[in-house]
Amino acid sequence: QTFAQITNPITVNEEAIFHVFSYFCNRISQFNKINCTSAIKKQASLFCIVFGLHYLWIKEYLENTMNKPQITIKDIARALNVSPSTVSRALKDNPDISQETRNLIHAYAREHNYKPNVLAVNLRASRSNTIGVIVPQLVHHFFSCVLSGIEKAAAEAGYNILVAQSNESYEQEVKIVHSFLAARVCGVIASLAKDTSQYDHYQDLLNNNIPIV
């Protein structure tokens, strides 16, 4: 499981990779001390070599990519000597921008791994494309099935889901609702906690024109 996780450099840190790499290096030294067949020792050695190369690749990826500042619309505009508004409209394929300019801006954005700032977009739009979902506990098979259906339907409609569990606690449920408000979700699907007897926190959602199911 640990090895599977480190194959995705986005989800782990360098220290975790190094610890696992060290573990396998120690293991191969133990293989050399005990009575193992030469085939086992050879396979273990090969695995450590491959793992080591993989570690070095991820380390370089983290240094060159993860620590690299994210390019912005202003950076693209400065590099191509156009206005930020031109870049913004070109990235949205606005027909007011010439096809040649759009192609140039798209190519530059792809080359430099440009990603739109979702938070900024949500702030300007005063909403997100996210539906908040509150469940008592994720471990129950029923809620796992329900979440699977919600996620499928939401994805088909172009929405993401943000899932939180109340652990059957009214206080936790209130905190979740407030966090959903701060995240500017566009709707909430909730299964009430057992001890929920007041609903003012849900009224806050309605007061902000956020529908509830």
Side-chain angles (χ1 to χ4, degrees):
Q1 182 181 4
T2 304
F3 182 77
Q5 288 176 339
I6 66 162
T7 59
N8 184 352
I10 302 299
T11 61
V12 295
N13 57 44
E14 183 179 334
E15 183 180 2
I17 301 169
F18 178 75
H19 284 320
V20 178
F21 179 48
S22 299
Y23 167 79
F24 282 109
C25 286
N26 291 333
R27 291 292 292 170
I28 190 59
S29 65
Q30 293 175 16
F31 275 122
N32 290 327
K33 295 177 182 178
I34 61 178
N35 186 23
C36 292
T37 65
S38 59
I40 292 177
K41 290 181 179 180
K42 184 178 295 185
Q43 289 177 357
S45 300
L46 179 61
F47 181 81
C48 283
I49 292 171
V50 172
F51 190 93
L53 292 174
H54 194 75
Y55 162 73
L56 293 174
W57 175 83
I58 294 177
K59 183 176 183 294
E60 182 180 3
Y61 180 91
L62 290 171
E63 291 175 348
N64 296 337
T65 304
M66 301 301 288
N67 295 326
K68 190 175 181 179
Q70 181 68 49
I71 190 172
T72 67
I73 285 179
K74 289 183 178 180
D75 295 328
I76 298 175
R78 191 181 302 112
L80 299 180
N81 197 28
V82 296
S83 69
S85 62
T86 297
V87 174
S88 178
R89 287 182 293 167
L91 291 173
K92 297 174 183 176
D93 284 321
N94 190 310
D96 292 339
I97 307 300
S98 70
Q99 187 64 53
E100 181 181 358
T101 301
R102 277 185 278 164
N103 291 343
L104 179 65
I105 290 173
H106 276 292
Y108 189 91
R110 284 194 301 271
E111 180 183 352
H112 292 83
N113 197 31
Y114 166 76
K115 296 290 186 299
N117 188 328
V118 177
L119 178 60
V121 172
N122 291 343
L123 287 173
R124 286 195 297 269
S126 296
R127 58 168 289 175
S128 70
N129 236 35
T130 302
I131 298 171
V133 182
I134 306 174
V135 296
Q137 288 185 324
L138 291 170
V139 295
H140 293 308
H141 177 69
F142 171 76
F143 287 114
S144 298
C145 293
V146 169
L147 283 174
S148 178
I150 291 174
E151 185 173 25
K152 183 176 184 296
E156 290 174 353
Y159 290 90
N160 302 310
I161 67 170
L162 181 61
V163 182
Q165 56 181 352
S166 65
N167 289 314
E168 301 289 10
S169 166
Y170 166 76
E171 290 77 12
Q172 181 65 17
E173 186 178 282
V174 172
K175 290 179 181 178
I176 293 170
V177 168
H178 290 162
S179 70
F180 283 173
L181 272 169
R184 300 172 184 263
V185 298
C186 55
V188 171
I189 301 173
S191 177
L192 301 182
K194 285 181 179 179
D195 59 354
T196 296
S197 58
Q198 299 181 28
Y199 310 99
D200 293 345
H201 51 304
Y202 287 113
Q203 186 60 48
D204 290 339
L205 293 172
L206 296 175
N207 292 341
N208 284 273
N209 297 318
I210 298 176
I212 309 168
V213 175

